[in-house]
Amino acid sequence: MQTFYLIFYFFQNSKNFKINKYVEIIVMEREEIVEKFAEFLKEYYYNDLVSAASEGKKSLLIDFSILDKFNPELADYLLENPEEVLAAAEDSLKQIDLPGSVKLRIRIFNLPEEKQMRIRNIRAEHIGKLISVDGMVKRASEIRPEVSEAIFQCPECGAKISVIQTERFIRPPTECEKCGNRKNFKFIDQKLYDARWLTIEEPFEITSGERPSEIMVFLKEDLTSPKMQNKTDPGNRIKVVGILKQIPRRVKGTRSRQLEIYIDANSIESVEVEWEELEITPEDEKKILELARDPEIYSKLVSSIAPSLYGLDEIKEAIACSCLVVKLMFRKISQGLGVKFISC
Ligand SMILES: [Zn+2]
């Protein structure tokens, strides 16, 4: 067993009460992570790996809940140390016997509920951790080639730290996320890739009147593919899994204490399914047909539009009508001219 348990014993003693609290910090060694991940991938994702290899895919999507069932300790370690575990997981592919060499990004989705956060609840304590947020894309940059990321090594603990470079001169990290060291970082590598910045904001229905909070999201590599580009254009609702990181804000050449945070995206899911991807099950079909016969269908349609907004019935009615008209119009066109069915 290569896992070390360091147990910290805290106690607080006061006149009236006494609290004894154990905080358990688990340290897993890199070889152990690589070995366990290889075992996991062989058992649950072998077929996906084979098809990814033959189709020349760039990434492999992994359901967190499956990893959690396979090895809860490894899954927890991933949530706390995503940078380290994802790099080890990608290395573990070398240990799996596959047709041809496979280099894939490991992308994680379906995080446990406690890691699905509201943007406004994100704090400094989440920096360096894997989190999931649900949001509406408010702004999106063009996809820019050759955005660079510099990799540094911490002289104290050996951790590798990647820093997104936004300026002309290569900038080291301000602080090691693992040990807190602030100096003498060693520059070891630089990577170039296609990248895109998004600003996402909290979905309307959860804000209950407050101004929606927003956060920046950084997409790179195959997360900027044409298919992903459609899903991440403004107006789309997405679920992002990623590592919370900081960009030190610079004021007149000095390093400011104020921090800007962003999510370095690991995976993106559409919350609203595209029409062409929509699957209608026989049960759905039955429900739709039942609804069509419902004499209240018209008022049900109207009240289903922005249900969190009180009143505004006439506007909602107008929106419902225009949706139906546009659908009918395009259905006529698509039947006649073979144009793809488009809905509002
Ligand atoms: Zn360090």
Side-chain angles (χ1 to χ4, degrees):
M1 189 71 180
Q2 293 176 28
T3 308
F4 303 104
Y5 293 88
L6 306 176
I7 297 173
F8 288 84
Y9 179 63
F10 293 100
F11 63 89
Q12 189 182 335
N13 213 343
S14 81
K15 260 185 195 166
N16 305 320
F17 62 90
K18 191 175 175 180
I19 303 167
N20 291 322
K21 197 174 165 195
Y22 291 95
V23 178
E24 204 176 41
I25 298 176
I26 300 167
V27 181
M28 284 176 105
E29 282 191 356
R30 189 183 166 86
E31 301 89 80
E32 189 187 2
I33 302 171
V34 171
E35 206 175 289
K36 286 195 169 147
F37 234 99
E39 225 175 277
F40 167 69
L41 292 173
K42 270 188 264 181
E43 195 168 332
Y44 292 93
Y45 285 92
Y46 188 76
N47 291 340
D48 298 279
L49 281 170
V50 171
S51 60
S54 64
E55 289 162 27
K57 284 194 178 154
K58 302 254 188 279
S59 56
L60 177 73
L61 266 175
I62 285 176
D63 185 335
F64 182 86
S65 67
I66 299 177
L67 179 67
D68 198 27
K69 264 183 221 139
F70 171 77
N71 186 331
E73 197 182 63
L74 180 62
D76 282 348
Y77 200 69
L78 165 66
L79 293 174
E80 293 300 307
N81 307 277
E83 199 100 50
E84 184 188 345
V85 177
L86 289 169
E90 284 160 17
D91 265 2
S92 78
L93 293 168
K94 291 178 201 147
Q95 299 198 353
I96 303 171
D97 205 8
L98 288 164
S101 78
V102 182
K103 232 185 146 202
L104 293 168
R105 282 266 170 253
I106 299 291
R107 304 206 180 279
I108 312 284
F109 71 101
N110 196 18
L111 291 198
E113 202 137 317
E114 69 271 15
K115 295 291 167 186
Q116 301 189 11
M117 308 196 53
R118 277 189 66 176
I119 294 170
R120 70 182 54 231
N121 295 336
I122 294 173
R123 296 285 178 273
E125 67 187 84
H126 303 118
I127 288 173
K129 312 272 191 256
L130 198 64
I131 57 167
S132 171
V133 294
D134 177 358
M136 189 71 88
V137 181
K138 195 177 164 193
R139 284 187 296 272
S141 75
E142 294 297 311
I143 292 170
R144 296 195 198 99
E146 300 194 345
V147 166
S148 83
E149 186 176 303
I151 317 287
F152 290 86
Q153 190 161 33
C154 171
E156 297 297 323
C157 71
K160 285 182 185 166
I161 307 152
S162 65
V163 184
I164 303 288
Q165 301 297 317
T166 50
E167 293 156 56
R168 268 174 54 212
F169 303 102
I170 290 185
R171 195 168 43 76
T174 39
E175 188 181 282
C176 172
E177 281 157 12
K178 283 206 110 175
C179 73
N181 168 50
R182 287 171 166 268
K183 54 182 195 289
N184 299 331
F185 292 101
K186 191 178 159 209
F187 173 76
I188 50 173
D189 197 9
Q190 188 175 19
K191 294 180 190 163
L192 298 174
Y193 38 65
D194 290 347
R196 180 179 218 192
W197 284 98
L198 308 178
T199 304
I200 61 167
E201 65 176 14
E202 291 179 326
F204 183 76
E205 75 272 10
I206 64 164
T207 54
S208 61
E210 321 118 308
R211 194 163 165 264
S213 301
E214 51 182 59
I215 193 163
M216 294 209 294
V217 177
F218 184 65
L219 308 181
K220 64 187 182 198
E221 299 169 327
D222 62 326
L223 292 181
T224 64
S225 69
K227 193 178 162 206
M228 290 310 294
Q229 186 178 1
N230 285 341
K231 291 184 177 179
T232 55
D233 276 339
N236 282 290
R237 173 102 175 251
I238 54 173
K239 191 175 253 185
V240 182
V241 170
I243 306 172
L244 191 69
K245 293 189 175 176
Q246 57 186 52
I247 321 175
R249 204 184 272 166
R250 281 197 155 191
V251 184
K252 285 182 191 158
T254 58
R255 203 167 274 162
S256 155
R257 283 189 162 269
Q258 212 175 3
L259 294 174
E260 262 192 75
I261 51 169
Y262 71 97
I263 299 174
D264 188 359
N266 171 262
S267 80
I268 302 279
E269 250 180 289
S270 286
V271 174
E272 281 147 358
V273 188
E274 305 258 345
W275 281 96
E276 49 265 48
E277 290 174 4
L278 195 67
E279 270 181 53
I280 296 176
T281 63
E283 291 93 78
D284 291 335
E285 203 175 324
K286 213 175 133 200
K287 266 188 218 159
I288 294 169
L289 290 171
E290 260 167 37
L291 275 168
R293 275 181 241 115
D294 188 340
E296 297 294 314
I297 183 62
Y298 188 71
S299 59
K300 278 185 181 167
L301 266 179
V302 173
S303 60
S304 72
I305 290 171
S308 58
L309 274 183
Y310 180 74
L312 306 171
D313 290 339
E314 281 163 13
I315 295 170
K316 290 182 182 185
E317 199 175 330
I319 294 170
C321 287
S322 61
C323 283
L324 290 174
V325 169
V326 172
K327 264 186 199 169
L328 286 173
M329 258 170 53
F330 278 97
R331 188 152 59 186
K332 285 265 181 291
I333 296 169
S334 63
Q335 280 164 355
L337 304 170
V339 178
K340 203 162 77 174
F341 183 78
I342 302 167
S343 135
C344 68

